[in-house]
Amino acid sequence: MYVIVEAIIPTFFLVGLGLYIRRSGLVPEDQWGGLETIAYWLFFPALIFNSLFNADLQNVPLGDMTFVLVSAIILMAAVMLALYPVFRSLFSIDNPSYTSVYQGVLRWNGFMALAIVQKAFGNDAMALVAVSMASMIPVINIIIVGIMAVFGANGRPSFGNVLLNIIKNPFIIASLLGLAINLSGIPIWDPIASTVEITGRAGLACALLMVGAGIKLKHALPPVRDVWFACILRLVGMPAMAIGFAMLFGLTGQPLEVVIISTAVPTAMNSYVLAKKMGGNAPLIAAIVTWQTPLSALAIPLWLALVRSLNLS
């Protein structure tokens, strides 16, 4: 487990560096948006495509990983809906705050998962994270946008708009394209392949710096009760459900460990943007991300140690 902890530490060093850079004013706050845009549309799609294109997919349990991840997401989505009356009546959580807790539990930071897996298992395992992305991103986006439409303070997107946003998602496009070219055996000219590889290398560092830059300490201290709901359900509930479904579907080894990392990383930073646009509680989701980020550094090694002690890995 020392290797796993050692793999996680550089990830959080970069997150902390991003926080320092933003607070120091070295990079003006209004310029982070440009970096986020280019990473979202270029760096990370290149990294995902390159990982899937070069991966030995004959040894990747695509079907089992997809079933485990999607099943865990759907079950947690149902649990969160079932808890709505409890949150509303017993804890007086209003609808905008409920949507932020919902996002904090269901959404995941694929940037951080990629960084941890690459450091811990090497480039070959990056294909497993790409499988996680291809499995989780469409399902989560459909569920979250629907929840925001129903419970948010504003914004009522049509089904067509939701579908269009999913189809246009660069992570999904890169995943499907890399997978299709890999399985088809279509060769790519070396200069183009090298360009894609070099572009993708910029993705991990940029993404982790942006995670740190997006942390707002003033929204997180002291942590309120709603933050702890999201942290417990995300860092304890989601990996537990994933392990349960993994045992059901017979998923073991490194794919299971990647599934655990994918379900135990903090929620995505773009949850904050969606909360602002669709009537959620944006300061609450910022606080949730702020606390989930360091707590996940404890949760991930503990969950991995558990599955190894159970001889599932």
Side-chain angles (χ1 to χ4, degrees), residues 29 127 135 156 208 233 247 255 299:
E29 190 139 355
S135 304
R156 297 292 184 269
L208 294 173
L233 288 168
M247 295 175 69

Side-chain angles (χ1 to χ4, degrees), residues 89-130:
S89 59
L90 193 59
F91 299 107
S92 301
I93 297 178
D94 59 21
N95 281 8
S97 296
Y98 171 72
T99 64
S100 291
V101 173
Y102 204 109
Q103 283 203 84
V105 175
L106 233 65
R107 302 194 75 166
W108 68 303
N109 195 322
F111 297 162
M112 192 168 291
L114 279 165
I116 293 171
V117 169
Q118 184 188 49
K119 176 64 178 176
F121 305 125
N123 289 331
D124 289 344
M126 299 287 278
L128 296 172
V129 186

